[in-house]
């Protein structure tokens, strides 16, 4: 069931927060023409369009995914298309249909065409019954959001396809992802990206979480590195086929504000918690990722200080150039 060399990769959700940067990294590594970006935006960004093939794709339509897999002779899929936690609570039925429907389609196609699959799970698999500090890999999974429900069901489905059909599917449970290129959409951890844009543009931000809400987070270079390192690991090192805990740092909005103020001293943050507070309160504050470190050498590079420095540096340059 394992193919030795990846030659053609399909990235679904390629116009999203993770997809837009992961696709470029995969193209740099494997060649632009070998990485097909697929998304549901009719007009993706210039960087995606000019560096390799782009296909419009609705991942709930199995035949459309299959068409791309056949046309490009795809052997590896990074399946990122999904509805996130906050948007998922606005329309849980839609979140179930998109998240589960598209994963099921990808796994079925992987079974039929012998594909290797990367699929991101999330810290949203945990609920209040799990220990909230240093949440272990095998803690109880009773999420309170539909997004979390789809991630738990998705992990079980991945494990099933591995055990039953030998599909080489690999997954990590991402914490909140902070990035400078494409903003996230519809997550509970999105404040940690929005705050940088608003700090630079307006010196003011209204945060939708309480000042003391600690959540696990990761900077985009580490997020990409986790996906590619896991996908390149020898199969014998991938002992977990549900999903690996991974993390890089944990902080609260107040701690992030203090770090940003080192660069923008007159920055002011107000706090007006909304429905997302309840979601955040049901999630871990920190994650134990020792199994990922032990099994396939996971090791993040960025902490709160180095991530903040890099974000401020990148976004300030764009602001000065009038591109923010
Ligand atoms: C979200 O906030 O929904 C995501 C996640 C933690 O999976 N960023």
């Amino acid at each position: 069931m394992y193919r030795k060399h990846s030659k053609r990769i399909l990235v679904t959700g390629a116009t999203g927060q993770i997809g837009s940067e992961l696709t470029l990294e995969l193209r740099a590594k494997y060649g632009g023409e070998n990485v097909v970006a697929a998304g549901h935006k009719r007009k993706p960004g210039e960087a995606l369009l000019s560096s390799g093939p782009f296909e419009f794709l609705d991942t709930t339509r199995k035949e459309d995914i299959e068409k791309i897999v056949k046309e490009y002779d795809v052997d590896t899929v990074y399946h990122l298309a999904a509805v996130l936690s906050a948007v998922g609570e606005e329309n849980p039925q839609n979140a179930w249909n998109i998240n589960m429907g598209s994963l099921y389609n990808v796994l079925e196609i992987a079974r039929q065409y012998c594909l290797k699959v990367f699929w991101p799970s999330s810290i949203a698999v945990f609920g209040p019954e799990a220990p909230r500090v240093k949440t272990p890999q095998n803690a109880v999974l009773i999420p309170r959001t539909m997004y979390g429900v789809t991630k738990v069901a998705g992990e079980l489905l991945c494990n099933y396809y591995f055990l039953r059909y030998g599909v080489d599917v690999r997954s990590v449970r991402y914490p909140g992802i902070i990035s400078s290129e494409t903003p996230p959409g519809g997550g509970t951890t999105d404040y940690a990206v929005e705050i940088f844009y608003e700090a630079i543009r307006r010196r003011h931000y209204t945060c939708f979480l309480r000042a003391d809400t600690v959540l696990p987070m990761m900077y985009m270079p580490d997020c990409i590195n986790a996906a590619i390192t896991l996908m390149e690991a020898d199969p014998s090192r991938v002992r977990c086929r549900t999903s690996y805990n991974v993390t890089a740092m944990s902080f609260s909005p107040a701690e992030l504000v203090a770090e940003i103020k080192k660069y923008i001293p007159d920055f002011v943050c107000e706090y007006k918690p909304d429905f997302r507070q309840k979601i955040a309160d049901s999630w871990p504050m920190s994650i134990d990722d020792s199994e990922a470190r032990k099994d396939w050498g996971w090791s993040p590079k960025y902490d709160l200080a180095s991530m903040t420095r890099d974000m401020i540096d990148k976004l300030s340059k764009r602001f000065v150039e009038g591109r923010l």
Side-chain angles (χ1 to χ4, degrees), residues 17 83-87 121-124 147 151 174-177 184-190 216 279 283:
Q17 185 197 15
V83 169
L84 296 185
S85 56
V87 161
S121 184
S122 161
I123 55 161
Y147 174 66
K151 290 298 184 188
Y174 279 132
I177 302 297
T188 303
T189 57
D190 294 10
I279 300 178
W283 286 354

Side-chain angles (χ1 to χ4, degrees), residues 207-218:
C207 183
F208 56 76
L209 296 181
R210 262 193 340 262
D212 62 351
T213 312
V214 176
L215 288 168
M217 299 277 179
M218 185 181 289

Side-chain angles (χ1 to χ4, degrees), residues 176-198:
I177 302 297
I178 299 149
S179 63
S180 59
E181 301 309 305
T182 308
T188 303
T189 57
D190 294 10
Y191 90 85
V193 180
E194 289 170 8
I195 196 168
F196 283 100
Y197 283 78
E198 295 307 295

Side-chain angles (χ1 to χ4, degrees), residues 237 244-245 247-248 289-300:
R237 298 185 67 185
Y244 278 99
N245 280 6
T247 189
D289 59 5
S290 50
E291 299 218 2
R293 288 171 187 263
K294 186 170 55 135
D295 285 2
W296 46 275
W298 161 244
S299 173

